[in-house]
Amino acid sequence: MIPAVMPTYARADLTFEKGEGAYIHDTDGRRYLDFGAGIAVTSLGHCHPHLVKALTEQAGKVWHTSNLYHIPGQARLAQRLVDNSFADSVFFTNSGGEAVECGLKMIRKYHAENNAPGRYRVITCEGAFHGRSLAAIAAGRQAKHTKGFEPLVDGFDQVPFGNLNEMRAAIGPETAGILVEPVQGEGGIRPAALDYLKGLREAADEFGVLLMFDEVQCGMGRTGKLFAHEWAGIAPDILASAKALGGGFPVGACLATEPVATAMTAGSHGSTFGGNPLAMAVANAVLDVILADGFLERVEGIAGYLKGKLEALVAAHPAMLAEVRGSGLMLGLKCVGENTALIAELNANGMLAIAAGDNVVRLVPPLVIEEAQADEAVAILETSCAALEERGE
Ligand SMILES: *Cc1c(COP(=O)(O)O)cnc(C)c1O
């Protein structure tokens, strides 16, 4: 008989009831070091006091009004995102997929408003993940996501990730935009070369197409900058954010420059829940922490510390681990054996991590971890690799 919860996930047999900081407890009272962070979402750890306060205070005032009225938290959050990024204007959503969808619609609308309605196609990269809506699976074009959902939404082309020549060659008279993750997440923690990102900006300018970055996973401080593309010293025209933006409260945002955002007018797009007062209270509290003096520098520091330790781990276990890669606290261990076997062993030893493509174990801890937690994670990884080696798995 089918479970009441639709079985679209192969869930690990774990159930959690409370968390604090980098730790989460299951219903049997076991404590886990949470290096999955709910898929790079709980970036400030579980139950951060500043976030709990912001949420509960807003809960006693007003939860929801719809976007038919002004929402002060939106004005404040949008202004702060604008002040701290390339963007001039922001649309709020409830999820990453919706932020991507908004960006894709803006790409089409921009060209429609600028006398180039024939430009409607968007080029994406192999290994990409942009969400699960019909447009997003057509954009990501991963067989495991598209199978059975054909025909795919028209208007997407795909080229290998990181190859600028192929990207340039794929731009045609119908191309409207380029959509890329500066660090591929689901695809296996694959950071784009900074020269590649610069080359994308040049190509977009040269051919008159828009550049959109999907920073749903790699943004919001994860790499040690507010947005990952900042490392390349260039800016997109559009950016999708979500995941860590709400620290665990569902919220997303689509950021755009003025020329692009100008194409969107009253009635162009909408969302009942997007940017509601509860979501805005929490996201503003998240920004209070991430934008505080020294926070991002600290992320960079602890990330370098952890990566150094993981490099030593890889060197010590060549039969288990092929490499460590990533940017900031978005790290991946490419496995020699099955990544799922290592993840199960980590779970058994009290640590959570997440599988990613290319046989990678994804480590996306809360950005607030200290050296002690980095050491603890490496010790659990060490024990787990040794156990798998011992059992010959
Ligand atoms: C998670 C993710 C999405 C989709 O976000 P949802 O909130 O699940 O809709 C889109 N793009 C990237 C890069 C992601 O990591």
Side-chain angles (χ1 to χ4, degrees), residues 9 39-41 94-100 128-133 136 181 183-186 214-218 240-243 251-252 330 362:
Y9 282 92
I39 320 186
V41 167
N94 310 289
S95 68
E98 289 168 277
V100 168
F129 180 74
H130 299 298
R132 297 298 202 109
S133 72
E181 291 158 87
V183 184
Q184 284 192 346
E186 305 301 314
D214 181 344
E215 294 221 19
V216 168
Q217 191 160 160
C218 63
S241 176
K243 287 201 165 89
V251 59
M330 186 169 177
R362 185 171 7 169

Side-chain angles (χ1 to χ4, degrees), residues 48-93:
H48 190 291
H50 187 63
L51 271 54
V52 172
K53 184 162 176 278
L55 179 67
T56 48
E57 275 183 12
Q58 186 61 46
K61 291 181 188 162
V62 59
W63 292 19
H64 179 83
T65 61
S66 88
N67 285 300
L68 301 176
Y69 311 99
H70 294 290
I71 298 176
Q74 278 190 15
R76 177 154 183 261
L77 183 63
Q79 190 61 52
R80 296 170 88 189
L81 289 170
V82 163
D83 289 346
N84 287 282
S85 76
F86 70 96
D88 300 309
S89 197
V90 184
F91 181 89
F92 291 109
T93 69

Side-chain angles (χ1 to χ4, degrees), residues 78-91 99 103 106-107 178-180 182 201 210-216 219-220 225-231 233-241 253-261 291:
Q79 190 61 52
R80 296 170 88 189
L81 289 170
V82 163
D83 289 346
N84 287 282
S85 76
F86 70 96
D88 300 309
S89 197
V90 184
F91 181 89
M106 279 203 278
I107 288 174
I178 295 168
L179 169 59
V180 170
R201 179 69 270 172
L210 296 176
L211 178 60
M212 172 171 169
F213 286 145
D214 181 344
E215 294 221 19
V216 168
M220 293 313 293
K225 299 266 188 213
L226 185 60
F227 294 116
H229 70 264
E230 293 171 31
W231 290 107
I234 49 102
D237 303 295
I238 302 171
L239 179 146
S241 176
C254 188
L255 286 62
T257 60
E258 182 162 6
V260 178
L291 295 178

Side-chain angles (χ1 to χ4, degrees), residues 14 43 69 233 281 286 297 359 390:
L14 290 170
S43 268
Y69 311 99
V286 167
E297 288 78 4
N359 204 29
E390 175 95 14

